[in-house]
Amino acid sequence: MNEAKAFLEMVRKKRDRVRRMEEALAEHTARAESVTGLALTERVQTSNQATIDATLAAIEEEKQRLEEARKELVDMTEKAKQMINLIREDEIGWEILWSRYVFGDSWAAIAGRMKYSSRTCQRYAYEGILKINQKLSHHVTSCRMKM
């Protein structure tokens, strides 16, 4: 149970981290523009040039970290999709897992859309994760037998 669930939860956490990074970058950019009165793409000669340059460099570094995190998220999300698609025949479990771990929906949002209680959605997700683990372990076992 732990392998698939742990990975899917890691994808959710990464998505949340990327969202927070995007919000922080937007906030820092807006603050820098309001303090300097300039768009960040503009260059100007002032006595505070070193401070402005340091701020621009920090924001650029933050943009690079965000881009790297986005790329990791794309890769992780693709793996999560492949994992969840292993149980495509289980329509309800598949849809709930897809909503939760690919789209990042909350249990309440999933429950509202599916017309189930949150607890029922969580139960279907748990059962879906069990099925994924069974298929993954079967796949690993069959690969070992072929060797």
Side-chain angles (χ1 to χ4, degrees):
M1 170 64 180
N2 292 341
E3 296 164 19
K5 175 117 174 120
F7 179 75
L8 293 173
E9 284 297 330
M10 203 166 57
V11 173
R12 276 187 59 78
K13 287 177 183 174
K14 184 67 152 187
R15 180 177 293 103
D16 291 344
R17 197 173 311 124
V18 167
R19 182 185 42 77
R20 286 191 307 273
M21 289 173 74
E22 289 170 340
E23 291 169 355
L25 178 61
E27 183 180 316
H28 295 153
T29 302
R31 188 178 315 129
E33 289 176 347
S34 71
V35 168
T36 63
L38 303 170
L40 289 181
T41 56
E42 297 179 46
R43 291 286 182 183
V44 67
Q45 292 292 344
T46 71
S47 59
N48 292 331
Q49 185 67 38
T51 305
I52 292 171
D53 286 345
T55 301
L56 293 174
I59 289 174
E60 193 58 38
E61 196 174 300
E62 200 172 341
K63 283 180 183 178
Q64 289 173 352
R65 282 193 307 271
L66 174 60
E67 192 55 39
E68 288 171 11
R70 282 179 176 156
K71 287 177 185 176
E72 287 176 19
L73 177 60
V74 167
D75 291 342
M76 291 173 74
T77 301
E78 192 56 40
K79 289 176 186 173
K81 288 176 182 179
Q82 291 172 1
M83 189 180 286
I84 294 168
N85 281 339
L86 290 173
I87 62 160
R88 183 79 169 130
E89 72 283 352
D90 174 9
E91 282 185 42
I92 296 171
W94 177 84
E95 185 174 347
I96 289 171
L97 290 173
W98 194 268
S99 295
R100 178 79 174 162
Y101 297 108
V102 175
F103 297 133
D105 293 343
S106 68
W107 288 120
I110 296 168
R113 190 178 57 256
M114 300 281 300
K115 306 291 188 237
Y116 291 120
S117 70
S118 286
R119 182 68 194 118
T120 300
C121 289
Q122 290 173 26
R123 184 175 49 79
Y124 278 122
Y126 174 80
E127 291 169 1
I129 289 171
L130 287 176
K131 290 176 185 176
I132 289 171
N133 278 325
Q134 288 172 347
K135 290 193 178 204
L136 288 174
S137 66
H138 176 71
H139 179 69
V140 169
T141 304
S142 64
C143 286
R144 285 183 187 154
M145 294 176 97
K146 290 178 184 177
M147 297 175 123

